[in-house]
Amino acid sequence: MSSQLIAQSADFDQKLQAVANKYEAVGLAIVVVKDGAPVYNNAIGYKNLDTKAPLTTDNLFRIASISKSFSSTAIMQLVEKGKISLSDDFSDLVGFKVRNPKFPNTKITLEMVLSHRSSINDSNGYFELDVINPEKNANWAKSYNDYEPGKGYQYCNLNFNMVGAVLERLTNIRFDQYIKQQILSPIGLEAGYCVDSLDQSRFATLYDKQDGVFKAQTSAYNPRSEEIRNYKMGISTPVFSPTGGMKISANDLAKYMMMHMNYGQSGTTKIISKKSSKRMQKGLSSKENYGLALLENFKLIPGEHMIGHTGSAYGLYSNMFFEPKKKFGFIVITNGCVPTMDADDDILLSKEVIRLLYSEFVKK
């Protein structure tokens, strides 16, 4: 089922289907924004391979690492209120010592954590905060790289599970509820991190191709109900996976994207200030151009300066990219495909679909 406000070429549907077929997409959900408003949404393929239920742009996906930007948005709200600063020592915020043992005198700041310049890595895992807590794990030092904090970049999921815990410690509100209260509800999004709070009939099954067969990844929507019943604020936060656990539809992700495209403004509702929004969108690492859970991308569409993020987990590949000055953007999500990559480490399915959408709806 598609909806469009712009006339499309006679062969566009065939071109889109051809790209999906080339990479064996189980399903593909798409929203195109132009001049600051959605002009096209469409879903092809399946929500579930067993039932053959068709995918829609209202189905919920676990969108993986695009989730990180919800935490950084919430952090920027607290920075604006003067409750914290991006230059704060992260140790003071998270409640245990966060120091690279090779550079013990170098403060690891909140900004370094949000921009993956903290020198922290995922070697010890990221599902428990204890892995990096010197008082809880004898091997905590493995969680740090050899370079000085602030002087290098490594993408790290532990960074954002810790940021989620910081939000709880600062607000005394459970992470999933705080994000709903501060971001989701004000924008009007039916989304969230807590599986049991959502309409599970809307979940798109995620598929990973193993040994030539697409296999359902049911653990993607593990409700973690028992862990939530025994929840400890500021400690149990990774249960909700701030780093990758947001469940949201393509349509609602487009609304969230438009808020960032409009520098923090969603209709008449201000989520963050223009200054905070631009801070999030400004790349801080020279090679990666990664900001505060949003990155600058100069290669996705030749000649265009895009802002956004990708996600990949459980066979899903998600994309949220926008051009804030020209007011166009794209949501492209697949719940399973053959993940062929190019020399830029981009998933070709995603890149080819986005370039097709740009040519069809934005460029002409």
Side-chain angles (χ1 to χ4, degrees):
M1 182 69 68
S2 68
S3 171
Q4 68 268 353
L5 299 177
I6 295 178
Q8 59 197 59
S9 304
D11 61 348
F12 171 73
D13 287 340
Q14 292 92 325
K15 287 180 180 178
L16 179 61
Q17 190 65 57
V19 177
N21 291 345
K22 179 162 58 167
Y23 300 106
E24 300 179 41
V26 175
L28 195 60
I30 295 165
V31 181
V32 178
V33 171
K34 184 179 182 181
D35 297 328
V39 295
Y40 173 82
N41 67 45
N42 190 16
I44 59 177
Y46 298 108
K47 171 191 173 186
N48 183 285
L49 285 173
D50 291 332
T51 65
K52 300 300 182 188
L55 187 67
T56 77
T57 52
D58 283 323
N59 287 139
L60 300 175
F61 300 86
R62 179 179 176 138
I63 56 163
S65 286
I66 298 175
S67 305
K68 293 177 171 67
S69 63
F70 289 85
S71 290
S72 57
T73 301
I75 286 288
M76 294 310 294
Q77 291 175 331
L78 295 176
V79 170
E80 289 176 24
K81 292 175 181 176
K83 293 192 174 183
I84 50 171
S85 166
L86 291 175
S87 61
D88 282 349
D89 189 327
F90 198 72
S91 299
D92 297 336
L93 300 176
V94 79
F96 54 84
K97 189 175 181 181
V98 178
R99 279 289 188 279
N100 188 321
K102 299 177 181 67
F103 302 93
N105 297 320
T106 301
K107 179 174 74 171
I108 294 177
T109 67
L110 174 59
E111 183 180 73
M112 290 178 190
V113 173
L114 290 170
S115 58
H116 297 300
R117 298 177 304 124
S118 61
S119 79
I120 298 169
N121 62 55
D122 289 328
S123 295
N124 281 325
Y126 54 89
F127 296 115
E128 294 181 3
L129 303 186
D130 286 354
V131 298
I132 195 172
N133 186 339
E135 297 178 3
K136 299 293 181 71
N137 181 16
N139 295 316
W140 63 273
K142 278 180 57 182
S143 294
Y144 293 92
N145 293 323
D146 292 334
Y147 56 81
E148 186 176 1
K151 301 290 180 65
Y153 171 96
Q154 183 172 333
Y155 195 85
C156 172
N157 287 306
L158 180 57
N159 280 331
F160 277 84
N161 279 347
M162 290 194 295
V163 167
V166 167
L167 283 170
E168 290 186 339
R169 289 172 57 84
L170 290 169
T171 66
N172 203 34
I173 300 172
R174 205 175 72 183
F175 171 77
D176 62 309
Q177 296 169 349
Y178 188 74
I179 297 296
K180 182 175 182 179
Q181 170 189 308
Q182 295 297 123
I183 301 172
L184 303 180
S185 293
I187 301 177
L189 308 181
E190 295 179 10
Y193 287 87
C194 180
V195 168
D196 286 337
S197 72
L198 300 167
D199 179 357
Q200 297 178 35
S201 70
R202 294 176 60 196
F203 289 175
T205 305
L206 307 185
Y207 293 90
D208 188 30
K209 194 166 190 182
Q210 302 170 2
D211 301 320
V213 178
F214 280 109
K215 296 184 178 179
Q217 304 299 297
T218 55
S219 59
Y221 302 115
N222 180 355
R224 310 291 293 273
S225 306
E226 184 64 27
E227 293 101 315
I228 293 171
R229 274 193 289 272
N230 299 307
Y231 200 85
K232 294 180 180 178
M233 296 280 287
I235 297 172
S236 304
T237 325
V239 163
F240 292 111
S241 188
T243 202
M246 172 60 73
K247 272 70 70 174
I248 193 169
S249 70
N251 283 336
D252 275 354
L253 188 58
K255 294 175 187 175
Y256 172 75
M257 176 181 74
M258 286 188 288
M259 178 273 291
H260 281 293
M261 179 189 296
N262 292 318
Y263 297 115
Q265 193 80 17
S266 178
T268 58
T269 301
K270 187 178 83 168
I271 302 299
I272 54 174
S273 70
K274 187 172 184 178
K275 180 181 178 182
S276 294
S277 183
K278 287 191 169 185
R279 187 79 179 259
M280 286 181 65
Q281 296 178 21
K282 179 64 177 174
L284 297 174
S285 45
S286 57
K287 181 182 177 183
E288 298 81 10
N289 295 303
Y290 198 98
L292 307 183
L294 292 172
L295 59 87
E296 299 181 78
N297 189 317
F298 300 91
K299 295 181 178 181
L300 180 61
I301 302 171
E304 298 289 4
H305 174 210
M306 306 299 290
I307 306 292
H309 212 290
T310 61
S312 61
Y314 302 100
L316 164 137
Y317 293 90
S318 57
N319 300 261
M320 177 187 79
F321 283 100
F322 58 94
E323 215 291 7
K325 293 180 180 177
K326 299 181 183 178
K327 302 300 180 197
F328 70 84
F330 310 96
I331 301 297
V332 175
I333 309 172
T334 179
N335 56 335
C337 69
V338 175
T340 308
M341 301 177 80
D342 66 7
D344 297 322
D345 291 331
D346 290 330
I347 297 295
L348 280 171
L349 168 66
S350 304
K351 181 179 274 188
E352 290 182 21
V353 168
I354 288 172
R355 288 182 175 181
L356 176 63
L357 297 170
Y358 174 75
S359 176
E360 182 69 25
F361 295 102
V362 177
K363 192 175 181 181
K364 72 177 187 181

